[in-house]
């Protein structure tokens, strides 16, 4: 099958945007596979995801370039383009908990994503054998207060060499520095084990247990320099009761964390997530 | 605010459909408020909901007529058109249970729908006082084996006089005859108190209790001549356990029935539901 | 049917508590209808709900008095006793929103609770006609900064005269003073329109919309002097997306608020909720 | 820690059952860790799960034997006894789908259950490498119409040698014969990929897609000679829409199947599930 183009665009609303993009694609002989749009009436911002097969007489590079001219040039909107035949390169960061690691690796193997797992970074040796079992490179850097800057430099170097398109913090128990986030040059998705904004920070299940909530949650979000404050991609909850101690919340939370992180990663890799301000538009 | 047009269309897929409809609206100076489409790849059928404000120099009748020509004529698709300033006229059929009746009447009063409740038909006198409390006409017809045909004739006459656009069976405990459904000329929505296709027919909570299910459900569907077999609009479930007898399932089911029926009615009245074959496309 | 006794007890764990209470009831010829217990292993606190039919040769007053001696005296535990033939007297406080008011009044009428609604207090006249439609006394007190103390005094006097056993804040948009809560002498249940502890305080749906959460919530809790910090009885959530503005969150939240408040009230009136510390044990 | 005893008992209700069992344990110096009971008022059957630590002067064998005398002898009830220090031996049957297999193996490794996985039976060679990766014996028997009887004989022999306490059909795509089920001598849990009783039999996701349901489900149940008719242990559902073809239902269903099967297995291994008639009591 010839590759398709996926465009995520947004900008100030103006009349005829759907007609302009759909008309452009149609006139060049392209075939729209999926189109969805959203208008934020409060902010007057128009959002669109459109995926199409270019006509065979247009190379995909030419199609993408011309579309960018239309949207970024004529229409004055921001646009992100992807092609269906380029498999994103994904890296994981982990510490000691392995449930999200196994879950993501098995989903990738099962073909749930059109993406490659290129390796695993960790601040502990604990999960090296798990990485080995999936034939994944495992790169260890000790991270202490003193070594953190050096470790991050080396982590960035490795991620750069690997040309990573997405970094997933699969229960990585270190805060990434502002400098790291500025330099990384690709999105970073984290799973936080609470229903944010409740119980940000450390030991969220203990906080939840202490407060006596009747539901626990998990939140997948893009990482920004404000800890646990980045744009939320996906959340879910599970019912608990007085019978569950903090330890049982931790155990029950694992399934939530796996599902919520996997859903966020899948949507991101399908180019369905648009960030604006501190929020996301997630096209189904 | 000037009224908008809402079109629900479907038919065989062909290249450029989004461009054709969006382009047509844009060229005539209209402003798209909402557009969503779906392609059933198995059946190769294209579905679209599009809502737009016509330019002020086009009357809404003219806009609707011309759009119909485009879609039904040139494009060869089926289309249903509605205008935002025409409030649908809704009637209820009830028997003795009042929870869905109260729920729908209160939602209508609270302005959840742009629709009018024009009256209530019943085969029992039980809920006349409820209808009175909402200032709704209440029309009683006894329905026995012998009187059913006559009762249906009178019910149809009343519905016709009232120019009803939607009939809701809000726990109406009689089966409507094939003849009634042929003649009524408007959609009929029913709430069935199970997760269809499980437990079709009578006493679904008793069936569910006997089978020992761990979730009970409710299903809102369009009524067809095949009992409990019509196109499903909405479903939901609630968790139960061995502690719940059949009577408790009935009580717990009431909230489900209210929510599921209300959701289906809201979507229908917002012109978001397209029927094809025995299924629905529900645009969010 | 002769009345049953319901006991909610808790205190430091000690060997044989289940045997002691069950044995006591059995020896006196009583018949246990329901028994459930919980041990908080962190705090070493034992909780029990037990409901039984006393033997016909014991008056219910005598049975309750003797049981209290056993539990509070011999076993050194705290105990709350109720009898199934005493219908609790419930009052509502409302402001302008009527959805929880209708919902509670209809559930009471439908016989979902063995309790009486004795009247409605409000700081606005808006819902007087709703109270009238249910034949409920409606008592209005204007509440301004200056008049608040006087209004609360009168509200307390009315609640005292009515011998109210439970006060429900059904979207009452005033903070009750510490003095009011000290003097009222019965539990107060509030519905907060967020998933606490997220979005405590004013305009929670606007806060939720701004944060871009993917689920909205509602929380029913006992009112304490710390606003929105009291023991949580029930919580639930509903899925939302970027398509929902703050106004739509408000509308969608109504169903959640109704269901969560109703569930909490039902459990409370069934004597299933035990408060300890700032948490609840809710026996199913 | 010394081992505890877990008893699951049921039989005709009679006065004082809770007092009898709790009193017996207390008098012998035992310490109740968990007790829960249920009375089916329709059938007048009493169910109880009780777990306790025997006093140190009683051997656990003696405690279990004496308790059996009390319950089965004096009280005339059925009882199943387990001891916390005996790890159940669990075997899997699989065909080609590996998601439930991975999920169960990882949970066992993570210590979610106090149970051992002893091996995997299959009618295909496909998943041998998965079994190898978990160091699990993998036993292949080709199953055709002709070879089925012989294969089952060998499977039974292997299960007997392994002293298996629980057999899990983790997407095993063969129907077990009545003879196999009679001889196996331990419970068999199956995961069916629909919300039973809807869509029993083959290709349930295709059936669900054809019917146009708005939720898909999964059901874990004990296997009986009536296909897909055995006592239900756990069920859950997930929302789908017109956008999901049959293939997407299959993919989305995998997470459901994993979670529902894992929940059922966990409850079973914790001795929380009591079967009676064709239903289950599942103590939380």
């Amino acid at each position: 099958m010839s590759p398709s183009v996926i465009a995520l665009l947004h900008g100030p609303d103006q009349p005829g945007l759907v007609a302009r993009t759909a008309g452009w694609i149609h006139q060049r002989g392209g075939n729209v596979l999926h189109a969805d749009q959203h208008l934020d009436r409060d902010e007057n911002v128009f959002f669109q995801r459109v995926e199409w097969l270019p006509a065979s007489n247009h190379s995909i590079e030419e199609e993408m370039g011309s579309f960018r001219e239309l949207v970024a040039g004529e229409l004055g909107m921001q646009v992100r383009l992807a092609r269906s035949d380029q498999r994103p390169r994904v890296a994981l960061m982990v510490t000691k908990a392995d449930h999200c690691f196994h879950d993501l690796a098995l989903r990738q193997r099962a073909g749930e994503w059109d993406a490659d797992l290129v390796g695993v970074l960790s601040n502990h040796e604990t999960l090296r054998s798990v990485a080995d079992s999936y034939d994944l490179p495992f790169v260890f850097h000790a991270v202490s207060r003193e070594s953190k800057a050096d470790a991050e430099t080396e982590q960035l170097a490795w991620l750069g060499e690997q040309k990573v398109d997405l970094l997933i913090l699969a229960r990585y128990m270190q805060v990434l520095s502002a400098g790291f986030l500025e330099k990384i040059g690709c999105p970073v998705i984290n799973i936080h084990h609470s229903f944010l904004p409740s119980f940000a920070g450390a030991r969220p299940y203990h906080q939840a247990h202490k407060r006596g909530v009747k539901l626990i949650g998990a939140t997948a979000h893009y990482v920004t320099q404000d800890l646990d404050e980045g744009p939320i991609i996906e959340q879910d909850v599970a019912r608990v009761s007085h019978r569950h101690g903090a330890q049982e919340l931790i155990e029950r939370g694992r399934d939530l964390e796996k599902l919520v992180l996997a859903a966020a990663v899948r949507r991101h890799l399908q180019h369905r997530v648009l960030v604006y301000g501190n929020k996301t538009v997630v096209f189904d």
Side-chain angles (χ1 to χ4, degrees), chain A:
Chain A
M1 207 175 74
S2 51
S4 58
V5 180
I6 303 126
L8 285 167
L9 47 105
H10 72 289
D13 190 33
Q14 52 188 289
L17 283 174
V18 173
R20 289 294 293 276
T21 55
W24 186 92
I25 293 165
H26 182 49
Q27 278 177 338
R28 291 169 59 96
N31 186 15
V32 171
L33 301 177
H34 174 264
D36 198 1
Q37 49 277 331
H38 168 60
L39 176 61
D40 183 324
R41 286 163 205 270
D42 298 338
E43 311 278 345
N44 207 41
V45 178
F46 176 88
F47 302 85
Q48 191 177 40
R49 180 188 192 274
V50 58
E51 178 173 4
W52 74 99
L53 274 176
S56 55
N57 59 328
H58 295 292
S59 81
I60 194 162
E61 289 81 9
E62 184 199 345
E63 189 86 354
M64 290 168 79
S66 301
F67 189 80
R68 184 181 297 280
E69 274 172 41
L70 169 76
V71 175
E74 281 183 52
L75 301 176
M77 308 185 79
Q78 289 183 265
V79 62
R80 219 169 75 215
L81 290 162
R83 43 192 289 183
S84 65
D85 60 345
Q86 267 182 351
R87 290 171 66 86
R89 295 173 62 79
V90 179
L92 305 184
M93 291 183 91
V94 301
T95 296
K96 291 181 176 172
D98 64 357
H99 53 287
C100 287
F101 182 0
H102 277 298
D103 188 69
L104 294 169
L106 287 169
R107 287 177 194 276
Q108 196 275 337
R109 278 208 177 177
E112 281 192 28
W113 315 325
D114 285 326
D116 293 314
L117 264 184
V118 300
V120 183
L121 294 169
S122 186
N123 60 332
H124 281 270
E125 286 282 7
T126 316
L127 300 183
R128 182 178 292 277
S129 63
V130 177
D132 289 350
S133 75
Y134 295 106
D135 289 324
L136 289 172
F138 182 87
V139 184
F140 163 73
H141 299 99
V143 179
S144 64
R145 206 188 247 201
E146 292 74 30
S147 67
K148 181 163 184 166
D150 288 349
E152 287 197 346
T153 302
E154 292 180 56
Q155 288 166 339
L156 283 170
W158 185 86
L159 291 164
E161 280 161 30
Q162 295 293 327
K163 298 195 196 328
V164 166
D165 298 302
L166 174 67
L167 177 61
I168 303 172
L169 308 188
R171 300 297 313 272
Y172 181 63
M173 305 308 277
Q174 284 283 330
V175 177
L176 299 175
S177 74
F180 183 99
L181 293 170
E182 266 167 31
K183 288 175 203 140
I184 183 165
C186 77
V188 182
I189 294 178
N190 182 46
I191 180 72
H192 184 77
H193 35 315
S194 83
F195 184 74
L196 289 174
S198 290
F199 313 129
R203 292 166 60 90
Y205 291 122
H206 289 83
Q207 294 182 56
H209 184 246
K210 189 160 174 236
R211 181 62 186 91
V213 291
K214 301 300 185 188
L215 300 168
I216 54 169
T219 304
H221 63 94
Y222 290 114
V223 177
T224 61
Q225 299 184 8
D226 300 307
L227 187 66
D228 301 332
E229 297 278 336
I232 293 169
I233 309 168
E234 175 71 354
Q235 302 188 285
D236 211 348
V237 296
R239 196 156 284 275
V240 295
S241 81
H242 59 270
R243 300 202 187 278
H244 303 102
Q247 189 55 38
E248 279 153 307
L249 299 192
I250 290 170
E251 283 165 25
R252 292 196 157 224
R254 279 186 204 132
D255 284 335
L256 265 185
E257 295 164 27
K258 289 188 291 188
L259 291 171
V260 168
L261 179 57
V265 167
R266 183 171 58 240
R267 299 288 172 82
H268 176 88
L269 291 174
Q270 292 170 338
H271 311 289
R272 292 182 180 277
V273 190
L274 237 165
V275 175
Y276 76 112
N278 198 41
K279 298 163 69 166
T280 61
V281 168
V282 182
F283 291 109
D284 279 331

